[in-house]
Each structure stands twice: as C-alpha cells, then as structure tokens.
Amino acid sequence: MPRILVLDDDKTMRAFLSNLVNNMGLDCDCAETLSEGLTKAKNNAYEVVFLDVVLPDGNGLEILPQIKETASSPEIIIITGYADSDGAELAIQHGAWDYIEKGAEIETIQLPLLRALQHHEEKQKQKTIPLDREGIIGNSPLIKQCLNQLAMAASSETDVLITGESGTGKELFAWAIHNNSRRIAGNFVTVDCASFPETLAESLLFGHEKGSFTGAEKRREGLIAQANGGTLFLDEIGELTPDLQKTFLRVLQERRFRPVGSAREIPCDFRLVSATNKNLEDMVQEGSFRNDLYYRLQTFIMRLPPLRERKEDIRDISIHHASKLSEQTGVELKSFSSEFFETLMAYHWPGNIRELKNAIEKAFFSSLDAPRLYPQHLPDRIRLALKKRSFDSPKNKDDTFRVGNHASEEIMNLSDYKNKMEEEYLRIVMERCQGDIPEACRISGVSRSGLYKLLHKYHLTKDDS
C-alpha cells in the first residue's frame, strides 16, 4: 500500500490530510517539525510527502532537496497557508510536484496526489541508465537534482535553456546533455554570442555564398549548418542583438536558414541548448530581449546553483582538480591540511567553480616542494577577503560608543540593529494580521513577494508571529 507523509505543524491540517489519504485507501504518517519529518523520510519509504512551508524549526523548502534524495525519492506536494507566486516558483525550482494553498477544495488536492502517485510508480519502473557526467563533480542534493534534470533533458529532443551565474558550469552541462543524447555522434557546436562581431554575425551563423559581400572570396558553411544532426550551443544568448534575435527565432521555429547571398533556404536538424547568466525575464520587461524568443527558449529550463549553495561539493571538486594537475605535470599529488578546506568552505566564491579551480591551481604551483597545502598557498584575495570579514564581524568590533573620553552602554552595529528592528516589526505585523498575508501587505506597504522573502529571511513561523 502506498505511504504518504504529512509534514505540517497545524493539527487540524494534519487531521484533514490524514483522513483524505486514508479515505483513498492509502497509508499515512504525520510529522510536526522539519527534523521529525526528515528523520521519518530517511527511515521509511514514502511515495508522496505533503510539506508545509512555515514550520516551527525552519522553512520546509530548505529540506525539500534532502527529502527528494532519500532512498524512496518521494514526490513533494507543497501545501501552505502562505501561498504566493514567488513561493510557488521556488518550490518548483526545488523539485516540488505541485504547490497548493491551504483551504483548497478536496478535488484540488486529490488530483495532484493521484498524479504524483502515478508518476512515482512509473519512475520506479524505469531502468536506470548510467549517466556520463565527465567533469561534473559533486554529490550534494542540489547537484543531484541538476543531474536528474540532465538525464531527462538528454533523453528528449526538446530545446534546453541553462541558467546560472558565471562559472557554475553551464557549458559543461551542455556538453553532458549532448554526450548522453542520441546525437552524441553529431557535432557539438559552440556559439559565443558575447564575442560576435556584429558585422559578421549572420555570416558566421548562417554561412555565405562566394561574392556575397566584400572579402567573401569563397563559399563558407555557417555554424548552424555544422550542427546538423548534432547540438547547437548558444552561450550567453542574452547578448544576441535585437536583429539576430528576430532572425534566429525564425530559424528556431522552422529549422531552416538562408546563407548570406543565397537564394534558397537550407533545412537543418539541430538540437538547441542555450545558456545565460542574465535574467532574461527582466530583459523582456526592459525591452532588450524578445518575449517570443524568450517563451520559445523556456521549453526546458535548468538552473545551476552557485557554489556557495553547494559547499558540500568543494572538497570533491578541489581534490579532483588537484589530481588532474598532478597527472598533467607529473608532480606528486599533495595532501590538504584541515585549515585549507576550512578556508575554502568559509569563502563566498563569487566566481564559483571557475574561481575555485583557479585557486587550487595557484595553491598547487605556489607550494613548490611542500607535500601539504595550507591556506597560505591560496590567492591573496581569498585570504584578505576572509580576514576583512573577520575584522568586520560584530564580535571583533569595539561595541562601545564613546562620547569624549567616556564610554556609554554597549550598542550593536547599524546593520545588525536594522535587521533586529525589521524582524521585530514583521512579528508585530503578522501577529496583528493573524497570519493574513494580503492584510500584512496592506499594512506594511510591502509587496506579496517581498513579504514572503522577509518571512523566509527571518525564519518566521505561525508560532513566532
């Protein structure tokens, strides 16, 4: 019999969902806190988990990836009294099956549950195909989620948009999609949209006929034609000019293009994978990116997390890259001091994996004949950034406010004070509104999405408010 877990601190809601599940002939367990729910998910097999967002010991979305990574890999249905579009987006990005507002009709809950059970059963029957993940290092919940998406993308022919900050490995994932797809025998053609010379862009993309423009001394095949039967990777697609956006949209729709100076169109069977570190939705709102092209690219979206969100992988990435350096140079592989990894874990990594690899390379070569790596071997900018942060932290500040030669009572720094007052204000507003989000928005003057983010920031729960 399928088992369902209800993770909600609201006694009435737990009873309602338990009765609904039992009346459907299913078995049901309940938990009231994140820690209790995660323990049950790890020790029991569940097909579906109903997960509340605001819980006594944190935000339900924070443990969603961990629940997905348990042995039974259950489907997650978010059910919350704090429903809004930003929360739904965050839940879906984290792999939730559905996002339902409390108070919904029984049918609105039953249908997603039935569909989730059906999907889970079908998923269990599918054969696991080994994934070629060359160069993709790590086993954190977030990277495993990305690998699951990669497997789904590779098994289909749909176009894929990969988003993420610079240095998160977008091209690496694009290669992996190609290498795990039926197009592996075809070419993988990379187009760097940020480096296109505007005057030659169409010629480079579509090719040209001899004599079509000054300097065109012979016919030349374009990059799109080279991707026939394979994968076309458009890196930094947000950098395409408006004219090229319009032209490429038609190529994408028709899978046909006309070389510069040619009288006929050429069909081309390519699979598109594109990538960007920009927010295309914001660009659409600003008018710098075509909305029709944006919607066309949205068929399958993969978001790669920044390294600061998957710090569990830092050790594996570091060791892997150091091993490669050892193989390439013939230098014996060095060991790592515990302080070395502590420093790596404490750093924010704005340049993500690319910056980490550069840091390991610098440490590797600057250590000379030393058998072990220490923080002193890392780039100065990393050590200085961490040292500056330690000096700027409240515990290292002189917490006394001096008037002349006399010290008054201790006070906190301005940033901490602002955060404390903001949190207290939110508590008062939510208590006054009894958790009513629209009323809280009206009183505070904060947008619904903004209020949701603030509640998440301070881990405010119904009990706290």
Side-chain angles (χ1 to χ4, degrees):
M1 181 183 298
R3 297 183 72 186
I4 313 298
L5 174 63
V6 175
L7 176 46
D8 198 312
D9 63 329
D10 186 327
K11 182 178 180 181
T12 303
M13 197 65 198
R14 288 199 307 274
F16 169 74
L17 290 174
S18 295
N19 288 334
L20 185 149
V21 169
N22 291 330
N23 289 338
M24 294 171 66
L26 308 172
D27 195 8
C28 185
D29 284 347
C30 293
E32 300 180 38
T33 64
L34 294 182
S35 56
E36 182 188 3
L38 191 55
T39 299
K40 287 195 172 186
K42 289 178 178 178
N43 296 330
N44 300 279
Y46 298 105
E47 278 72 17
V48 177
V49 175
F50 281 106
L51 178 62
D52 192 10
V53 173
V54 183
L55 290 157
D57 52 344
N59 188 296
L61 296 180
E62 294 176 357
I63 68 162
L64 194 155
Q66 297 177 60
I67 295 177
K68 292 284 289 183
E69 287 301 317
T70 57
S72 58
S73 185
E75 309 307 321
I76 313 290
I77 297 177
I78 300 295
I79 186 155
T80 177
Y82 292 87
D84 67 11
S85 58
D86 282 348
E89 180 182 3
L90 192 60
I92 299 303
Q93 286 178 349
H94 279 71
W97 176 262
D98 207 343
Y99 184 92
I100 301 172
E101 187 171 8
K102 290 183 179 180
E105 298 291 332
I106 291 179
E107 293 78 9
T108 305
I109 302 173
Q110 279 183 325
L111 184 58
L113 175 56
L114 289 171
R115 291 287 182 262
L117 287 168
Q118 182 181 18
H119 174 73
H120 188 81
E121 182 181 2
E122 292 170 352
K123 187 172 67 174
Q124 297 302 108
K125 292 178 180 178
Q126 292 176 354
K127 292 182 179 180
T128 302
I129 301 174
L131 196 64
D132 178 2
R133 52 179 290 183
E134 183 179 358
I136 302 174
I137 310 301
N139 290 290
S140 63
L142 284 179
I143 207 64
K144 284 184 177 180
Q145 183 178 321
C146 290
L147 289 169
N148 289 336
Q149 289 183 305
L150 191 160
M152 287 188 285
S155 66
S156 72
E157 282 289 291
T158 189
D159 296 332
V160 180
L161 173 63
I162 305 175
T163 67
E165 296 177 8
S166 179
T168 50
K170 296 186 289 294
E171 184 169 358
L172 197 61
F173 269 81
W175 265 107
I177 291 172
H178 174 77
N179 289 335
N180 286 279
S181 73
R182 69 173 185 82
R183 293 177 175 267
I184 186 172
N187 292 330
F188 179 89
V189 180
T190 300
V191 178
D192 184 357
C193 301
S195 65
F196 260 166
E198 191 169 346
T199 54
L200 297 176
E202 289 201 16
S203 172
L204 291 171
L205 272 178
F206 309 125
H208 61 257
E209 298 294 331
K210 179 181 179 180
S212 56
F213 55 86
T214 302
E217 298 177 355
K218 60 180 180 179
R219 182 180 180 276
R220 180 172 178 174
E221 186 178 55
L223 294 172
I224 292 179
Q226 293 173 25
N228 188 38
T231 301
L232 179 67
F233 175 52
L234 292 189
D235 196 12
E236 300 307 337
I237 194 171
E239 300 291 342
L240 281 180
T241 64
D243 287 342
L244 274 180
Q245 290 177 34
K246 179 180 179 181
T247 304
F248 190 74
L249 174 63
R250 184 175 181 278
V251 174
L252 191 56
Q253 290 173 332
E254 305 294 336
R255 289 302 199 270
R256 303 175 68 87
F257 65 94
R258 189 190 307 275
V260 177
S262 175
R264 62 185 183 86
E265 290 189 334
I266 299 174
C268 188
D269 172 29
F270 64 88
R271 197 264 183 89
L272 177 70
V273 178
S274 51
T276 182
N277 61 10
K278 294 189 173 183
N279 189 318
L280 295 185
E281 186 173 359
D282 287 348
M283 293 180 67
V284 169
Q285 297 297 323
E286 297 164 0
S288 57
F289 199 84
R290 293 180 64 97
N291 61 350
D292 45 6
L293 177 56
Y294 171 60
Y295 294 133
R296 183 80 187 187
L297 296 172
Q298 274 193 309
T299 308
F300 192 107
I301 299 178
M302 290 181 62
R303 174 191 174 270
L304 301 188
L307 188 57
R308 62 184 174 274
E309 292 182 6
R310 45 174 293 214
K311 286 193 172 183
E312 310 99 302
D313 295 328
I314 286 178
R315 176 184 287 268
D316 289 343
I317 295 171
S318 301
I319 294 173
H320 173 80
H321 192 55
S323 298
K324 286 185 65 176
L325 290 172
S326 178
E327 292 174 9
Q328 293 167 1
T329 61
V331 177
E332 186 175 350
L333 181 62
K334 301 172 186 292
S335 59
F336 301 84
S337 67
S338 59
E339 299 93 338
F340 185 85
F341 281 123
E342 287 172 4
T343 302
L344 296 184
M345 294 294 286
Y347 186 57
H348 192 58
W349 299 111
N352 295 296
I353 299 171
R354 184 182 295 124
E355 184 182 11
L356 174 59
K357 287 183 176 180
N358 289 339
I360 296 300
E361 186 169 342
K362 192 273 180 187
F364 187 89
F365 290 114
S366 66
S367 61
L368 299 176
D369 295 331
R372 185 183 297 266
L373 296 180
Y374 292 95
Q376 288 73 15
H377 295 131
L378 288 166
D380 290 343
R381 70 178 186 281
I382 293 177
R383 297 168 59 209
L384 288 171
L386 293 175
K387 186 61 67 176
K388 183 177 183 298
R389 186 189 304 171
S390 70
F391 287 149
D392 291 343
S393 65
K395 67 180 180 181
N396 289 323
K397 292 287 187 182
D398 179 3
D399 289 333
T400 59
F401 179 75
R402 297 186 179 276
V403 181
N405 293 322
H406 301 283
S408 67
E409 61 181 303
E410 292 187 357
I411 61 172
M412 65 181 66
N413 65 49
L414 182 60
S415 177
D416 288 344
Y417 179 77
K418 287 180 177 178
N419 286 336
K420 182 178 177 63
M421 292 300 99
E422 187 174 57
E423 180 178 359
E424 185 61 27
Y425 173 79
L426 286 170
R427 290 180 187 277
I428 294 171
V429 170
M430 295 305 295
E431 183 179 26
R432 179 75 58 84
C433 299
Q434 297 182 331
D436 187 325
I437 293 292
E439 179 64 12
C441 291
R442 186 190 68 78
I443 291 176
S444 65
V446 178
S447 68
R448 192 182 186 98
S449 60
L451 183 62
Y452 183 87
K453 289 176 181 176
L454 288 172
L455 292 173
H456 177 67
K457 175 181 177 181
Y458 294 113
H459 303 288
L460 290 180
T461 68
K462 292 190 287 291
D463 290 343
D464 291 331
S465 62

